[in-house]
Amino acid sequence: MRDLQQLDHTLRQLEGRPYGAYKSISGEWSWPMGALHFDYVQADPFAPPSRVRLHLPAEWVGLAPELLRSESRRLGVAALLARAFSRAAIENRSRDRIDGNGRSGEIRMADPRQVVACQTAVQIDATGSIEARIHLGLPAQGRRILGKAARRLVVEELPSLVAAALRAEAHGPESLLEAARTNEDQEALRDALAEHHLVAFVADDALLPRLSGRDDRPLGSDEAVLFRSPDRLRVTLPTPNAGPVTGLGIPEGITLIVGGGFHGKSTLLRALDHGVRNHCPADGRERVVCRSDAVKVRAEDGRAVAGVDISPFIDGLPGGRTTAAFTTTNASGSTSQAAAIAEALEVGAGTLLIDEDTAATNFMIRDRRMQELVPAEREPITPFVDRVRALHSEAGVNSVLVLGGSGDYLDVADCVIAMTDFLPEDVTERAREVAAEFPTGRHVASSEFPWARSERVPVRGCVSARKGRRTRRIRIFTGGMVEFGSERIDLSALEQVEGEDELRSIASALALASERYIDGERSIPEAIRAVLAEVELRGLDVLDPRRLGDLSEFRIFEVAAALNRLRTLEIR
Ligand code: ADP
Ligand code: MG
C-alpha cells in the first residue's frame, strides 16, 4: 500500500498542476497511525470539500476497556472526540490559514454540539478502534494546485489534529469516563420511564435555559435558575453510574404546565422535547429525559396536507369537504395542527407535546361564550380540550401542554405544574378546587375519540429525490429547508430535529424509502420502518453509499413529517 511519504511526495509533485490532477490521490494510503482513504476528491476548489476516512487502531487510540463496555458508553466517548476534533479544526483554521480559493485548506468534521447520538463522524467499535470521517478542502490558486500547501494540510496538520483530538491521552481519563457514564445513565433513565408510569423526568439541579434560540449551549450558571422538583411530584430513578437520581417525574396522562408569561414554561417543554435525545456532560440537560415516542406538534399554516383523517378534530367544513381524507396545499393553523397530530399518531407517537406559543388558539380552546355565539353546527372544529382525555383513555396517548392562557383545561388535566420564577410547583389540588369553584359552563363534546386508525398508502412514484440525471439530489439549508429532488421541503417546524446532520439523515431516509419501499402497497409507517430496520441492522451508511461523515440518528416521526410536508405526496 502507498504510504505517507509517497503521499507527501505525490502532493509536492502536484504543485502548479491543474486541479483535476488531485484525483490521483484517491483511494487508500497507509500512515503511521493507521490508514487513510480518500473516498472522494473534489473536482474544483469551490466544490464540496474532499472526504477522507481514517482508521485508527485501538492500541494507538488507547481507550480504556471501561469506556468500551456498552454501546451507549462508546457513543458518549465518540461524541466527545468528534466535538473535540471539530473544534480543534476550526481553531487550527483561524490560526493557520492557507491562501487560496474556495475552501482551500479547510479541515472540518461534523460537530455533534450538545447532543450524543449515533453519528458517522467518529465511530468507535467494541475493540476501541476508531473510524473518523473528515472533510478536506484541497488547496488551489485559481485552478492550479497548491501542492506544498496540500502536503502541509494532509501530512502535517491533519495528523497533528488527529493526535490532539482523537487519542485518549489528549483528554483527561476523567472526562472520557464522565462522557461514557453520563450517556449510559441517560439511557437507563429513559428506559425507566415506562416502568414508573412517567412520560418524562427532569433531575434536580438540571439547567434548562439555553444561550439563545439559535445557540443550544447552556445559559451561564450565574444567570440560570437550577431546576428543583416539587415535593409531591418528586421521584427517584436508578442509574448504573450515578446511583439514584431525584427529580420531577411527569406522570402519564394529561399534564398542564401553567404560570405567568416569562416564568419558564416554554423552556421546560423544550427541555422535554429535546429529552428524546441524550446530551453531553455539563450540558445541563444530561439528566432530562423524555419517552422516545414523544412528538412536539404545532400549528404550521401554509403547509400541504395529503389525505389525512382530521375528522376527530375538524368535521363538516363549509362546502361539505371531507375531512376523513383531508387534502390541501395551504393548510390553516387549526387544520395543520390537526394534521400534525393525526400524522404523528399514524407512526406511533405515544406522547404529544404542545406549547400555546406555537398552537392555533381555535384548535386548542373554545369557551362557553363562543359556543353560545357560534352554534355547534356552524363550527367545524372540536377543540383539543374536548379530545385530549379520550385520546388518553382510548388511544393511550399522553399529553403535556403549556397553557398559561386557558383555564378550561383544568377540567381535563391529571397533573398541573405551575412555573413561578423558573421553578415548578405542583398545583394539581388547587386546580381541582378552582375548577369546582368556577365551572366553565362549556358544553363538552362526546367523550369518545372517533378515530378510525388507518395507515395511508402513498401512490407509487409520487416521492422521488431524482433530479435531471442524478438519481438523488439532496441539499440541506440552515433553518430547516431541504432540497429533495426538484422539490423543497420546509422542515423548520420540526423543533425536535437537532441540526443539519439529522436533517440530511431524514432526507436520505426518505429518499431510500422512495427508492425501495414506497411501492403503492406499503403504508407510510411500513415504508419508513423498513428503512429504520435497515439502519438498525447495518448502520447509518445504508442511507447513502458514499460513506458520509455527517449523518446522525433520526426517528420515524421526523421522516414521516418530511414525507407529509412533501408537496408531491399523493395517497392511494
Ligand atoms: P414562558 O414560556 O413561561 O413565557 P420562557 O420559557 O419563554 O417563558 O422563558 C422566558 C425567558 O426566561 C427566556 O429568555 C428563558 O431563556 C429564560 N429562562 C427560562 N428558564 C430559566 C431558568 N431556569 N433560569 C434563567 N432563565 C430562564
Ligand atoms: Mg412560552
Side-chain angles (χ1 to χ4, degrees):
M1 205 198 307
R2 304 171 295 177
D3 65 15
L4 191 65
Q5 257 171 358
Q6 284 165 291
L7 182 55
D8 189 335
H9 181 73
T10 306
L11 289 169
R12 281 175 203 272
Q13 297 278 305
L14 289 176
E15 178 75 34
R17 307 243 340 252
Y19 203 86
Y22 267 135
K23 292 281 178 205
S24 64
I25 64 171
S26 297
E28 187 171 355
W29 302 83
S30 77
W31 65 336
M33 55 261 245
L36 174 154
H37 304 250
F38 273 93
D39 282 330
Y40 160 77
V41 175
Q42 64 202 104
D44 71 74
F46 298 96
S50 305
R51 290 195 306 270
V52 296
R53 190 158 39 94
L54 300 174
H55 277 284
L56 308 172
E59 314 78 70
W60 186 81
V61 176
L63 295 171
E66 59 189 345
L67 301 174
L68 307 171
R69 217 162 54 201
S70 64
E71 199 197 355
S72 61
R73 286 189 169 216
R74 296 195 292 274
L75 289 178
V77 174
L80 181 148
L81 299 181
R83 200 174 299 117
F85 187 97
S86 73
R87 290 176 192 186
I90 288 167
E91 253 173 53
N92 174 71
R93 180 153 170 73
S94 48
R95 205 174 43 233
D96 252 338
R97 254 199 91 86
I98 290 176
D99 292 330
N101 301 109
R103 312 183 97 152
S104 287
E106 178 178 298
I107 302 182
R108 192 177 69 78
M109 178 183 275
D111 184 351
R113 298 181 305 168
Q114 301 299 107
V115 176
V116 178
C118 198
Q119 37 74 27
T120 55
V122 171
Q123 299 176 76
I124 304 174
D125 72 13
T127 69
S129 71
I130 285 184
E131 186 185 299
R133 298 178 183 183
I134 296 157
H135 295 90
L136 287 182
L138 294 172
Q141 190 62 259
R143 296 212 22 100
R144 298 274 154 202
I145 288 176
L146 291 174
K148 291 201 200 80
R151 74 151 289 285
R152 198 175 90 208
L153 185 74
V154 179
V155 179
E156 288 174 11
E157 290 179 25
L158 180 61
S160 78
L161 277 174
V162 169
L166 300 184
R167 239 184 151 174
E169 63 176 33
H171 306 274
E174 278 310 309
S175 67
L176 290 169
L177 194 55
E178 171 86 345
R181 288 178 160 168
T182 306
N183 202 48
E184 197 171 54
D185 283 353
Q186 281 173 86
E187 293 292 331
L189 286 173
R190 195 174 296 104
D191 287 347
L193 291 175
E195 186 190 325
H196 289 80
H197 301 288
L198 301 175
V199 300
F201 173 79
V202 183
D204 290 330
D205 295 328
L207 192 160
L208 309 185
R210 301 291 100 190
L211 263 187
S212 79
R214 292 269 173 79
D215 192 332
D216 212 22
R217 286 174 298 172
L219 191 68
S221 53
D222 45 333
E223 289 170 76
V225 175
L226 298 185
F227 198 80
R228 179 129 292 275
S229 54
D231 291 342
R232 197 187 68 89
L233 297 174
R234 185 170 299 136
V235 296
T236 303
L237 298 181
T239 64
N241 302 301
V245 179
T246 62
L248 164 71
I250 294 187
E252 291 173 349
I254 295 144
T255 296
L256 288 192
I257 300 173
V258 302
F262 297 100
H263 279 272
K265 303 184 298 295
S266 297
T267 303
L268 172 58
L269 193 72
R270 217 167 294 130
L272 301 182
D273 72 58
H274 280 79
V276 301
R277 283 283 148 65
N278 295 349
H279 293 96
C280 62
D283 171 77
R285 300 168 299 180
E286 65 272 30
R287 283 177 194 152
V288 179
V289 292
C290 189
R291 285 205 196 164
S292 51
D293 63 357
V295 178
K296 186 139 180 203
V297 291
R298 54 173 289 169
E300 196 188 339
D301 55 312
R303 61 160 285 201
V305 176
V308 177
D309 180 5
I310 58 168
S311 62
F313 301 109
I314 298 175
D315 208 5
L317 286 181
R321 270 175 81 190
T322 172
T323 53
F326 181 74
T327 299
T328 179
T329 56
N330 186 8
S332 67
S334 55
T335 48
S336 63
Q337 196 171 348
I341 291 174
E343 290 161 349
L345 298 180
E346 182 181 38
V347 282
T351 299
L352 299 175
L353 307 174
I354 301 177
D355 190 327
E356 60 183 354
D357 292 349
T358 49
T361 307
N362 60 343
F363 178 79
M364 297 303 288
I365 53 174
R366 203 152 68 88
D367 67 11
R368 165 71 205 189
R369 285 177 159 179
M370 214 36 102
Q371 286 183 328
E372 207 53 51
L373 188 65
V374 181
E377 317 80 80
R378 274 191 250 142
E379 174 51 270
I381 302 174
T382 303
F384 194 66
V385 64
D386 288 338
R387 293 293 185 224
V388 64
R389 270 253 64 91
L391 200 51
H392 183 244
S393 57
E394 317 238 321
V397 176
N398 307 294
S399 294
V400 181
L401 312 169
V402 168
L403 267 174
S406 171
D408 289 1
Y409 275 84
L410 298 184
D411 289 323
V412 296
D414 297 306
C415 175
V416 184
I417 296 168
M419 294 301 286
T420 313
D421 294 328
F422 311 128
L423 289 175
E425 213 182 322
D426 170 34
V427 297
T428 310
E429 281 311 312
R430 177 79 189 117
R432 294 228 165 93
E433 289 165 20
V434 170
E437 200 178 334
F438 302 98
T440 65
R442 293 184 70 248
H443 313 293
V444 176
S446 93
S447 60
E448 284 158 36
F449 191 62
W451 189 260
R453 251 182 208 281
S454 67
E455 298 185 350
R456 290 169 300 152
V457 178
V459 169
R460 184 189 176 97
C462 71
V463 183
S464 170
R466 283 178 176 279
K467 186 172 187 182
R469 276 179 299 141
R470 306 176 67 150
T471 49
R472 218 196 250 189
R473 167 76 166 172
I474 290 172
R475 279 169 72 199
I476 308 301
F477 299 92
T478 36
M481 194 59 86
V482 173
E483 191 179 318
F484 187 84
S486 7
E487 293 293 313
R488 282 188 167 224
I489 318 178
D490 183 355
L491 298 183
S492 56
L494 306 187
E495 297 175 34
Q496 291 172 287
V497 173
E498 292 286 0
E500 289 173 31
D501 298 351
E502 188 179 338
L503 276 181
R504 185 172 299 102
S505 307
I506 291 163
S508 306
L510 182 56
L512 188 65
S514 73
E515 289 151 9
R516 298 206 189 141
Y517 303 112
I518 295 181
D519 53 4
E521 300 289 329
R522 288 185 175 84
S523 68
I524 289 173
E526 283 167 350
I528 304 174
R529 275 192 209 113
V531 171
L532 286 165
E534 279 198 56
V535 172
E536 181 70 32
L537 199 64
R538 296 192 285 126
L540 286 164
D541 281 336
V542 300
L543 296 181
D544 193 304
R546 293 175 297 171
R547 303 178 196 260
L548 300 179
D550 41 18
L551 296 175
S552 76
E553 205 173 314
F554 60 94
R555 306 189 303 167
I556 188 172
F557 306 108
E558 280 75 23
V559 181
L563 174 58
N564 284 315
R565 281 160 184 73
L566 183 68
R567 288 181 181 269
T568 59
L569 175 63
E570 250 182 277
I571 299 303
R572 216 181 59 185

